């Protein structure tokens, strides 16, 4: 059996065809859920990252585990944008589309650029497949694809040939098809097979025949590109000029989990996660459960309410307490979040937003839970809210969320979304030593006879985090209104007013503890684009594009949604107009208008999809005109 | 005492466990008796006050933590078992008590109660059962009998009542007992045994709400009738009851039946209680015996040893550290492929 690396084609030596250099390219693999499109995309991503490109990815998969094969409901896709310059989005339009069947073609073709490369698994375009996709006749024959460079490849047949003799059944042979397609695309973009060969060895090493089949399929696909007359040229995207350092590729949920483990270490707290599985948040639970050697305790609760209340119990005991969920789960947690506000315990509530309302679009993205986070509880119940802007940024956002939670003794919402949770990008690995500590204070035992006041406050209005087990600090907390300082149950009118004001003031004070809002672009001008969360990449790219053409536009991206940065109101005065693009019906806009009386314009999209850069550029230009 | 680092414990009394808060249950409420027994039992456990935490949900019973001079958290409707799960999982050094009621524990919190018991976390759950909603002023509860007329059931309740112990046994609880608020000696003994059990202990306490459901358990507390209407369970002993201890419970096939001793029936023919039976079937059978057909058992229905959730959870941490070494952030960050940009 050949070893994995020796026979791998060396891209530089074997290439006989001309190579076209590109600044960036976007490739999408799509097929049936089960065809291995996510794996193909992930491998291509890793390889591109290792080749030094800047990358951004966007997996898009159906909510059904296995919809009937060949139907539009079952199409799964993975998009990778890779570039020799800094990029912020997985790309608007696709330069090369690999479609494994007619259903995948019909649902994805709309995003392929005119003249784009279309690799099609010809074998899947039989009568049944064509009909299932809703075509009258084969799109390969009716001329409807004439605007693209179409490469029909018999992926199924050629894969079977490649693995012939290994004793695999048809089903097992066909499972290697994604490796064949990968090989072909790797050749097309002049990528090394090495990382994927290493992956095959690590993943299938214990099943040599499967490993060998995948290796053969991968190489056969690569060689097909090299030898067939079909492809006239290869493309190359050179290394990006990223700031120097050590990088790895990271997905948003993974970065969130790493961030949590790191924040626990930095604050010297034991990590406790109470969670109930829900898409697209579950991967945070899965990732954390792998790292028990960090002292991580994960509790898969019986429901969302148990998830959050168990975290509150753990927080009372001194743990770094976290609950992770998505919108519908957060809705169930809200009463308990009110309890955390009342008991003034630190707690992280992570909402990986998805399309709503109710069960909504479980695997699609939206940022429509902002008002849920800010206003979704009974009574006057302020909770700080911050949002991550990109996959790697989830790591930093967690650090900030936990810093605020323990500094101010309050639950904190961290909003991410399905788009950044499942997307990936290069992450400059932080130097662990430079991360420093997050200060946590617990009062020590009192002298005999001293009365402990659980609701006495420090200069930031935070109450003491007194831990059970500490002699002399015995106290009782709960959801009933508490008397200032003593923490005894108290229903007096003036006390309630005072405590409501106090809790509001405490959260408002966070504005003094966070950086002022920065702006990318001119400090004064015609238009300010104000964004938050996962729309960062598209907004930043669009604003820079317009700036490059001389447009008077600046971009401000909010990390802090409650409270807003102290200088935000002043910023608005420097621009004639404010545009707030959101993947909702205008939730931030409502808050900004209410708070600052600014007549902000919205750009609102609720299609389960992120913004395209061109949508934003068009709107910006319209407002500048 | 705070600076005293010696391990010897100060001698405490029931009074040391009383908080400075005024107890605000209705005069004559059965809760007072349970509170008094709890305060009395606590000093005998050899656990420092600061290591004890009382967790509750919502309801009259759930005000309990405010009245104990320990740590406490009065949480939200039905969720006390979940709060306790997070606390005990991350702080195995604490002794955690959950105080709940029939509405709180069986209705809004039924889910959490069930899962806490089946996980066998090392906590103690005391469910005050008064068969009524007291705090919300008199609606029927999951344990109210069929036909119960209340504010929300003017024509009588049409829901079949739950039997708390049947549920706890169905969840394969490892310590399950029943006591009565006015039977203070028995109640104290049950609380102590619960405290000493490793794993989840679940005690149902018949508790009188003298405002909204007065006398619900008169049959079990009345001096005149209690010998005939209750039966005290003792491990290894036959099930005998009656003023003259002349009646017993015998198994007829799968069913219990009341028999009179003498007339050819001896103690040896009776059902012998085995609280350590590995299968919960016997305990379940006992939990099905209810007034007026049968005397209602009080005492320990079941007490078995099973692996404890918080032990297992914390053992996994120890094992993971042994297998993979203490968590190292650098290693974590650099797992998978990396590349350097210069």
């Amino acid at each position: 059996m050949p070893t994995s690396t020796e026979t791998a084609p060396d891209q530089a030596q074997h290439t006989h065809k001309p190579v076209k250099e590109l600044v960036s390219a976007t490739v999408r693999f799509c097929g049936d859920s089960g065809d291995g499109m996510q794996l193909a995309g992930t491998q291509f991503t890793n390889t591109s990252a290792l080749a030094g490109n800047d990358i951004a990815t966007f997996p898009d998969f159906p909510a059904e585990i296995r919809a009937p094969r060949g139907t539009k409901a079952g199409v799964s896709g993975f998009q990778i944008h890779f570039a020799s310059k800094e990029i912020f989005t997985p790309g608007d339009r696709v330069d090369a589309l690999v479609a494994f069947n007619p259903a995948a073609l019909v649902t994805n073709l709309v995003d392929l650029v005119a003249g784009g490369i279309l690799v099609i698994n010809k074998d899947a375009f039989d009568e049944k497949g064509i009909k299932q996709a809703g075509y009258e006749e084969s799109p390969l024959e009716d001329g409807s694809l004439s605007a693209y460079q179409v490469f029909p490849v018999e992926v199924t047949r050629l894969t079977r040939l490649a693995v012939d003799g290994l004793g695999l059944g048809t089903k097992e042979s066909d499972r290697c098809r994604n490796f064949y397609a990968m090989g072909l695309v790797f050749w097309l973009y002049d990528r090394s097979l090495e990382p994927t060969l290493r992956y095959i060895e690590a993943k299938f090493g214990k099943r040599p025949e499967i490993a060998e089949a995948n290796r053969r399929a991968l190489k056969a696909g690569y060689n097909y590109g090299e030898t067939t007359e079909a492809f006239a040229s290869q493309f190359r995207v050179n290394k990006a000029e990223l700031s120097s350092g050590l990088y790895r590729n990271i997905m948003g949920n993974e970065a969130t989990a790493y961030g949590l483990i790191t924040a626990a270490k930095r604050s010297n707290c034991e990590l406790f996660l109470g969670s109930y599985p829900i898409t697209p948040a579950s991967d945070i639970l899965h990732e954390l459960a792998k790292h028990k050697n960090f002292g991580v305790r994960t509790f898969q609760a019986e429901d969302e309410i148990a998830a959050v209340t168990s975290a509150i119990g753990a927080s009372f005991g001194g743990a770094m307490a976290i609950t992770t969920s998505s919108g519908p789960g957060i809705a169930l947690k809200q009463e308990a979040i009110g309890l955390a506000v009342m008991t003034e315990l630190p707690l992280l509530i992570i909402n990986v937003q998805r399309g709503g309302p109710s069960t909504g679009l479980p695997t699609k993205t939206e940022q429509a839970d902002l008002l849920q986070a800010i206003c979704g509880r009974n009574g006057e119940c302020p909770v700080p809210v911050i949002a991550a802007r990109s996959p790697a940024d989830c790591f930093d956002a967690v650090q900030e969320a936990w810093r605020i939670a323990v500094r101010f003794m309050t639950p904190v919402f961290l909003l991410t979304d399905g788009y950044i949770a499942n997307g990936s990008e290069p992450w400059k690995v932080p130097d662990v030593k430079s991360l420093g500590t997050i200060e946590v204070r617990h009062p020590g035992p009192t002298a005999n006879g001293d009365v402990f006041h659980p609701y006495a406050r420090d200069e930031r209005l935070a109450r003491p985090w007194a831990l059970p087990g500490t002699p002399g600090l015995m106290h009782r907390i709960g959801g009933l209104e508490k008397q200032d300082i003593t923490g005894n149950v108290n229903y007096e009118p003036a006390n309630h007013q005072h405590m409501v004001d106090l809790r509001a003031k405490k959260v408002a004070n966070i504005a003094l503890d966070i950086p002022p809002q920065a702006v990318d672009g001119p400090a004064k001008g015609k238009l300010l684009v104000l964004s938050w969360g996962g729309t960062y990449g598209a907004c930043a790219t669009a604003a820079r594009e317009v700036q490059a053409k001389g447009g008077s536009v600046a971009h401000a991206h909010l990390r802090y949604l409650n409270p807003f940065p102290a200088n935000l109101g002043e910023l608005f005065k420097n621009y004639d107009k404010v545009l707030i693009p959101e993947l909702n019906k205008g939730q931030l806009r409502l808050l900004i208008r209410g708070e600052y009386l600014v007549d902000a314009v919205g750009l609102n999209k609720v299609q389960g999809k992120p913004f395209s850069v061109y949508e934003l550029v068009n709107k910006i230009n319209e407002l500048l005109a | 005492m705070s600076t005293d680092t010696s391990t010897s414990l100060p001698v405490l009394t029931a009074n040391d466990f009383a908080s400075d808060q005024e107890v605000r249950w209705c005069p004559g409420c059965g809760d007072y008796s349970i509170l008094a027994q709890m305060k009395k039992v606590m000093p005998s456990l050899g656990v420092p006050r600061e290591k004890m935490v009382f967790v509750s949900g919502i309801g009259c019973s759930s005000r309990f933590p405010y009245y104990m001079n320990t740590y406490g958290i009065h949480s939200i409707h039905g969720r006390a078992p979940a709060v306790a799960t997070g606390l005990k999982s991350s702080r195995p050094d604490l002794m955690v008590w959950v105080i709940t009621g029939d509405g709180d524990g069986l209705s809004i919190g039924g889910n959490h109660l069930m899962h806490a018991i089946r996980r066998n976390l090392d906590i103690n759950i005391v469910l005050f059962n008064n068969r009524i909603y007291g705090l919300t002023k008199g609606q029927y509860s999951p344990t109210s009998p069929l036909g119960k007329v209340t504010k929300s059931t003017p024509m009588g309740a049409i829901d079949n009542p739950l039997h708390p112990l049947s549920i706890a046994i169905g969840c394969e609880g490892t310590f399950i007992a029943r006591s009565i608020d006015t039977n203070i000696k028995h109640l104290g003994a049950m609380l102590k045994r619960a405290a000493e059990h490793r794993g989840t202990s679940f005690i149902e306490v018949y508790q009188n709400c003298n405002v909204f459901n007065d006398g619900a358990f008169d049959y079990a507390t009345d001096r005149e009738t209690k010998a005939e209407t209750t039966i005290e369970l003792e491990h290894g002993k036959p099930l005998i009851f009656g003023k003259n201890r002349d009646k017993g419970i015998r198994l007829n096939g799968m069913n219990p039946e009341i028999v009179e001793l003498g007339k050819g029936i001896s103690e040896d023919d009776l059902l012998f209680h085995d609280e350590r039976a590995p299968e919960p079937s016997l305990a379940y059978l006992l939990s099905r015996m209810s007034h007026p057909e049968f005397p209602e058992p009080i005492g320990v229905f079941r007490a078995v040893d099973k692996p404890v959730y918080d032990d297992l959870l914390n053992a996994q941490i120890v094992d993971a550290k042994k297998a993979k070494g203490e968590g190292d952030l650098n290693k974590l960050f650099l797992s998978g492929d990396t590349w350097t940009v210069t």
Side-chain angles (χ1 to χ4, degrees), chain A residues 382-409:
Chain A
V383 175
V385 180
I386 73 173
R389 68 183 199 185
S390 72
D393 184 54
C394 290
F395 181 88
D396 295 328
V398 168
Q399 306 311 304
E400 187 60 354
W402 184 238
R403 183 189 72 83
I404 290 170
V406 291
R407 188 160 192 183
F408 291 87
M409 288 293 284

Side-chain angles (χ1 to χ4, degrees), chain B residues 75-128:
Chain B
S75 72
I76 45 178
H77 308 77
R79 320 302 169 191
V83 173
T85 301
L87 178 64
K88 181 70 184 178
S89 295
S90 51
R91 289 292 306 276
D93 59 311
L94 301 174
M95 172 179 245
V96 178
W97 290 83
V98 169
I99 306 295
T100 184
D102 45 316
D104 187 59
L106 297 169
S107 194
I108 194 164
N111 189 26
H112 309 304
L113 187 73
M114 178 172 96
H115 289 283
I117 294 172
R118 64 109 176 166
R119 287 189 183 105
N120 200 30
L121 200 76
D122 186 23
I123 57 172
N124 311 298
I125 303 172
V126 187
L127 183 139
F128 298 12

Side-chain angles (χ1 to χ4, degrees), chain A residues 46 49-50 52 195 198 242-249 258 261-262 265 272 290-303 305-306 309-310 312-314 316-317 319 335-336 339 345 395 426-427 429-430 432 435 445-448 466-471 473-480 482 488-489 491, chain B residues 1-3 19-21 24 49-53 58 63 65-77 79 81-94 108 111-113 115-116 118-119 309 313-314 316-318 320-321 324-330 332-342:
Chain A
N46 265 344
L50 291 173
R198 280 205 305 273
L242 300 173
S243 65
S244 66
L246 185 62
Y247 285 82
R248 60 167 286 175
N249 183 32
Y258 284 15
I261 293 171
T262 304
K265 275 250 174 192
F272 179 92
K290 285 188 215 162
H291 302 291
K292 292 209 156 92
N293 61 324
F294 281 89
V296 168
R297 287 169 177 81
T298 54
F299 172 58
Q300 184 180 316
E302 56 271 21
D303 65 19
I305 302 175
T309 48
S310 67
I312 290 171
F316 184 54
E335 185 196 8
L339 175 68
L345 285 169
F395 181 88
W427 177 46
V429 177
V432 171
L435 286 173
T446 56
N448 197 14
L467 302 187
T470 319
L473 305 188
M474 278 81 77
H475 67 285
R476 276 69 55 191
I477 56 175
L480 293 173
K482 297 295 181 285
N488 293 332
V489 174
Y491 304 149
Chain B
M1 285 315 300
S2 62
T3 51
S19 78
D20 60 355
Q21 299 300 294
R24 290 190 180 164
R49 270 182 307 179
E50 64 268 17
K51 289 282 187 186
M52 294 179 181
V53 185
I58 299 291
R63 302 294 171 98
Y66 291 124
Y67 309 137
M68 293 294 296
N69 189 10
T70 63
Y71 285 90
I73 179 162
H74 174 222
S75 72
I76 45 178
H77 308 77
R79 320 302 169 191
V83 173
T85 301
L87 178 64
K88 181 70 184 178
S89 295
S90 51
R91 289 292 306 276
D93 59 311
L94 301 174
I108 194 164
N111 189 26
H112 309 304
L113 187 73
H115 289 283
R118 64 109 176 166
R119 287 189 183 105
Y309 182 87
L313 177 68
N314 290 294
Q316 285 193 339
I317 306 258
V318 173
K321 284 180 180 175
K324 297 203 262 180
E326 189 79 33
D328 177 342
L329 286 179
N330 260 320
L332 176 72
F333 294 169
L334 300 179
S335 57
D337 290 325
T338 59
W339 69 96
T340 305
V341 175
T342 48

Side-chain angles (χ1 to χ4, degrees), chain A residues 292-591:
Chain A
K292 292 209 156 92
N293 61 324
F294 281 89
V296 168
R297 287 169 177 81
T298 54
F299 172 58
Q300 184 180 316
E302 56 271 21
D303 65 19
E304 297 283 2
I305 302 175
V308 61
T309 48
S310 67
I312 290 171
S315 175
F316 184 54
M320 175 186 176
I322 306 143
T323 191
T324 50
S325 193
S326 191
I330 298 293
L332 287 166
K333 293 181 200 285
Q334 291 280 24
E335 185 196 8
I337 295 166
L339 175 68
V341 167
M342 208 62 168
T343 53
E344 302 190 44
L345 285 169
L347 171 72
L348 292 191
I349 308 126
I350 300 177
N351 179 356
V352 185
Q353 299 166 92
R354 68 188 210 185
S358 187
T359 316
L361 311 175
T363 61
K364 309 292 178 190
T365 201
E366 206 162 271
Q367 47 181 189
D369 297 346
L370 177 60
L371 293 179
Q372 181 197 40
I374 292 180
C375 316
R377 292 162 299 282
N378 65 303
E380 291 288 344
C381 193
V383 175
V385 180
I386 73 173
R389 68 183 199 185
S390 72
D393 184 54
C394 290
F395 181 88
D396 295 328
V398 168
Q399 306 311 304
E400 187 60 354
W402 184 238
R403 183 189 72 83
I404 290 170
V406 291
R407 188 160 192 183
F408 291 87
M409 288 293 284
T410 174
V412 174
F413 259 105
L414 170 60
L415 302 179
T416 73
D417 62 50
Y419 169 72
I420 55 184
N422 289 316
S424 67
E425 66 179 350
W427 177 46
K428 190 170 169 184
V429 177
D431 175 14
V432 171
K433 276 177 235 133
S434 72
L435 286 173
T437 57
I438 295 174
E439 193 194 5
V440 169
R441 282 182 289 187
H442 300 297
T446 56
N448 197 14
D450 276 6
V451 181
F452 172 64
H453 289 132
Y455 277 71
R457 290 169 195 281
D458 69 8
E459 71 284 1
R460 303 170 196 121
L461 303 180
R463 73 172 194 90
W465 194 3
L467 302 187
T470 319
L473 305 188
M474 278 81 77
H475 67 285
R476 276 69 55 191
I477 56 175
L480 293 173
E481 184 61 283
K482 297 295 181 285
Q483 188 177 48
D484 194 15
I485 302 171
T486 68
N488 293 332
V489 174
N490 187 299
Y491 304 149
E492 285 166 25
N495 178 69
H496 181 52
Q497 174 89 48
H498 175 67
M499 293 300 275
V500 166
D501 292 344
L502 236 170
R503 287 186 289 265
K505 177 86 179 141
K506 183 173 86 160
V507 171
N509 277 349
I510 296 169
L512 309 173
D513 204 61
I514 58 177
Q517 182 60 47
V519 167
D520 183 20
K524 279 182 188 294
K526 283 190 183 163
L527 179 66
L528 178 71
V529 177
L530 183 70
S531 62
W532 70 278
T535 57
Y536 166 75
C539 291
T541 310
R544 284 183 192 186
E545 240 175 62
V546 178
Q547 282 162 14
K549 289 182 180 155
S552 176
V553 59
H555 173 217
H557 186 79
L558 289 169
R559 175 183 290 297
Y560 304 92
L561 282 315
N562 189 36
F564 290 126
N567 66 329
L568 189 61
E570 287 302 307
L571 276 187
F572 295 134
K573 294 177 183 160
N574 299 331
Y575 303 90
D576 301 341
K577 290 178 186 169
V578 176
L579 169 67
I580 303 181
E582 294 178 86
L583 299 176
N584 62 40
K585 292 288 285 171
Q587 300 191 4
L588 176 63
R589 186 157 47 104
L590 179 75
L591 296 170

